[in-house]
Each structure stands twice: as structure tokens, then as C-alpha cells.
């Protein structure tokens, strides 16, 4: 039986949006309205993830409706179960 750190799950969808100026705030609002739980600002891009069952084409459509000039890239993340995998990287540290 594989340990929790190596257990694979269905890949999540990644959504990367590029929009400048005031459009960035509109794109951000559209991502949250589409169900994003959090957004990472990575340079000039907004990056978020959606679960495997999410319809990311609807997310793309929502962003483009809010900001027609936005660039929206869709991708997949690796299939690691991060709800469990992080535990394998926690180590005790001596303090004091």
C-alpha cells in the first residue's frame, strides 16, 4: 500500500490569467465568482486552481466576459494528494 505522500489523486485544473491595470481586478473578481478559493499573484499573472470536476471552460468564459482582452491559460497540476503529502515533509526541530 503506498504511503500518503505518494498517493495520487486526479489532477486539478490550473488557471492562469493575464490582465493589466483595472482589468486585473475585474479578472480577479471573475475568478472568485467562478468558485476560486484563492488566487496567487505571480508577476503579471493571476494563478488559481479548481478541482478535477470543475468546468474550467466556464471559468475561462467568465473571465473573458469580464475582461475580453485577458489571456487565459488552462492546464493540469500533478496528481499529488497534498492534503496528506505535506505531512511527510514535516520534521521535528530542536528549539532552544
Amino acid at each position: 500500500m503506498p504511503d500518503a505522500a505518494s498517493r495520487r489523486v486526479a489532477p486539478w485544473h490550473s488557471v492562469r490569467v493575464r490582465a493589466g491595470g483595472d482589468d486585473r481586478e475585474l479578472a480577479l473578481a471573475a475568478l472568485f465568482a467562478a468558485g476560486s478559493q484563492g488566487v496567487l499573484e505571480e508577476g503579471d499573472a493571476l494563478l488559481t486552481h479548481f478541482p478535477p470536476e470543475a468546468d474550467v471552460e466556464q471559468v475561462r468564459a467568465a473571465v473573458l466576459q469580464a475582461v475580453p482582452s485577458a489571456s487565459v491559460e488552462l492546464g493540469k497540476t500533478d496528481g499529488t494528494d497534498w492534503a496528506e503529502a505535506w505531512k511527510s515533509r514535516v520534521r521535528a526541530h530542536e528549539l532552544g
Side-chain angles (χ1 to χ4, degrees):
M1 179 173 175
D3 65 3
S6 65
R7 187 172 52 208
R8 307 300 281 176
V9 296
W12 278 45
H13 302 282
S14 65
V15 179
R16 182 180 310 275
V17 177
R18 286 186 168 80
D22 293 337
D23 288 344
R24 187 177 176 96
E25 293 300 319
L26 294 172
L28 185 62
L31 288 170
F32 280 113
S36 174
Q37 297 296 305
V39 176
L40 171 66
E41 294 186 72
E42 191 175 70
D44 67 341
L46 302 171
L47 177 64
T48 190
H49 296 89
F50 287 88
E53 65 275 6
D55 184 348
V56 289
E57 287 300 332
Q58 284 186 345
V59 175
R60 180 199 309 259
V63 171
L64 291 174
Q65 182 177 5
V67 184
S69 63
S71 165
V72 182
E73 301 169 27
L74 304 178
K76 296 277 188 181
T77 63
D78 65 12
T80 301
D81 181 0
W82 288 108
E84 294 297 323
W86 70 270
K87 296 173 187 175
S88 71
R89 296 181 180 172
V90 174
R91 302 282 185 254
H93 296 275
E94 187 173 321
L95 301 175

